Amino acid sequence: MDIATIVGILLAFGALFGMVEMEHVELAGLFLPAPMLLVFGATIGCGIASTTLKDAIASFKSVPKAFTGKVTPPASVIEDVVGLAETARSNGLLALEQEADKHDDPFMKKALQNIADGTDGDELRILLEDEIESNAAPVRSASAFFMGLGGFAPTVGIIGTVVSLTHVLANLGKPDELGPLIASAFVATLWGLLTANFLWLPIGGKLRKLAQLESDRQTLLMEGLLAVQAGSQPRLLGERLKAMVPPAARNDAAGGKGKAGKGKGGDAGADDQQLAA
């Protein structure tokens, strides 16, 4: 579980409340029901109006993923693929059908099953690329939905402020009440900016990042499995997949690959000789 979103949002709200305490602002003056109702209700309403109801519901269902989304390290993918390459090298491609039953990942199961069935490599690549795009589409749609809410919220807050200021202008004959009325008028703008930058945009950004990471994982897995189908040597395959990983994550990938090679000294030694050659 990646807790970056939780930590970030808590830090943002913590900084806000720290400022409130330092400025001796009354919290009751910020939590006004009317502007909060307008900002939350109108923002979500505009977001729903900008998409389909089905996509809006699916987007809200994806919110927990932004807080608890699991990020699979490249080392784990490389380790699995190298292990499958060693299995295919020892027992043939048909043995991958049994390996498919050991994995819970539908993408890997589909790829291994097709390899075992003898699907042509080019056709399998097209199939897996379409699968990667289809898997990422719902999360990207949810990300776009929340990024849209982040765009609507500040404008809705300004609308609330304008509405409140009309009430202020209607009470110009009561100077003693103008201060509190003007202060409350700007609460709507505050909540519009706050929800956009503290909630909607971070959630949308995290979902977009998770979709990208999952697409990268599946692409790495696809390239590895296609290489297994083509008969690549496990050691060479591990090096190739490591080269596809961003430099910052290569040390972890190398560590994972090293663990996968333990206990298989004969195959690893032969691959090292071929790599050196």
Side-chain angles (χ1 to χ4, degrees), residues 14-236:
L16 173 65
F17 286 114
M19 176 186 174
V20 168
E21 288 295 324
M22 294 175 67
E23 294 289 339
H24 305 290
V25 178
E26 294 185 5
L27 284 177
L30 301 180
F31 290 91
L32 300 179
M36 292 178 65
L37 175 63
L38 173 67
V39 169
F40 279 97
T43 299
I44 294 174
C46 291
I48 293 174
S50 67
T51 186
T52 65
L53 183 60
K54 181 179 179 181
D55 286 344
I57 294 174
S59 297
F60 283 112
K61 289 182 178 180
S62 67
V63 170
K65 183 181 294 185
F67 295 92
T68 62
K70 182 179 180 182
V71 178
T72 303
S76 177
V77 177
I78 295 176
E79 183 177 350
D80 289 342
V81 172
V82 171
L84 292 170
E86 292 170 346
T87 299
R89 186 182 185 190
S90 302
N91 304 320
L93 293 178
L94 289 176
L96 297 180
E97 186 172 8
Q98 297 179 349
E99 293 293 326
D101 298 332
K102 300 178 182 179
H103 293 84
D104 297 328
D105 183 6
F107 182 82
M108 179 177 281
K109 291 174 71 72
K110 177 177 288 189
L112 293 176
Q113 186 63 54
N114 277 277
I115 292 174
D117 291 342
T119 303
D120 178 74
D122 292 336
E123 294 181 358
L124 181 57
R125 176 180 290 276
I126 294 174
L127 172 65
L128 295 180
E129 287 177 347
D130 291 342
E131 187 76 13
I132 292 172
E133 186 63 27
S134 298
N135 290 340
V139 184
R140 289 174 181 167
S141 176
S143 171
F145 177 80
F146 286 106
M147 298 296 282
L149 294 187
F152 289 126
T155 305
V156 171
I158 293 174
I159 293 173
T161 297
V162 172
V163 172
S164 297
L165 287 177
T166 60
H167 180 60
V168 172
L169 295 175
N171 289 273
L172 289 179
K174 303 176 181 178
D176 295 340
E177 299 181 8
L178 290 181
L181 288 175
I182 293 175
S184 63
F186 284 98
V187 171
T189 298
L190 170 65
W191 278 100
L193 294 170
L194 188 149
T195 54
N197 293 281
F198 285 17
L199 290 177
W200 308 132
L201 293 178
I203 291 174
K206 182 60 174 289
L207 290 174
R208 180 174 58 190
K209 182 63 176 180
L210 289 175
Q212 176 190 338
L213 291 174
E214 181 62 12
S215 293
D216 292 344
R217 182 192 74 84
Q218 291 182 349
T219 299
L220 186 66
L221 187 58
M222 176 189 71
E223 294 295 342
L225 294 178
L226 288 173
V228 170
Q229 184 186 38
S232 294
Q233 298 287 350
R235 174 70 178 182
L236 295 174

